[in-house]
Amino acid sequence: MCNHASPCPAADGADRDAAVTVAFHPVQRSSLLCNGVLLFEDTGGLLPDWQIIAPHRSLTSAAA
């Protein structure tokens, strides 16, 4: 899907979130990446074949 100089990671790769953002939708809190992944603010998402990506936020908390 990428047509820029350095191709983005594949949608099914572990590093898929490193792809270039081609569209940002603040109301829906989502970004479309150039590898076809729809990434949501909670770090979950959808692959181009509609498979769900579960949120993968860090479970660490800030010290008070």
Side-chain angles (χ1 to χ4, degrees), residues 14 24 27 30 38 58 62:
F24 175 63
V27 174
S30 65
L38 183 60
S58 172

Side-chain angles (χ1 to χ4, degrees):
M1 293 183 120
C2 297
N3 60 3
H4 44 86
S6 174
C8 287
D12 58 356
D15 57 348
R16 65 182 151 248
D17 294 356
V20 173
T21 300
V22 294
F24 175 63
H25 301 280
V27 174
Q28 291 89 2
R29 297 183 177 178
S30 65
S31 298
L32 177 62
L33 306 181
C34 67
N35 58 4
V37 173
L38 183 60
L39 191 62
F40 297 102
E41 187 178 75
D42 70 353
T43 69
L46 290 172
L47 295 177
D49 64 0
W50 296 95
Q51 288 185 49
I52 295 171
I53 303 168
H56 50 276
R57 288 187 267 191
S58 172
L59 297 177
T60 59
S61 60

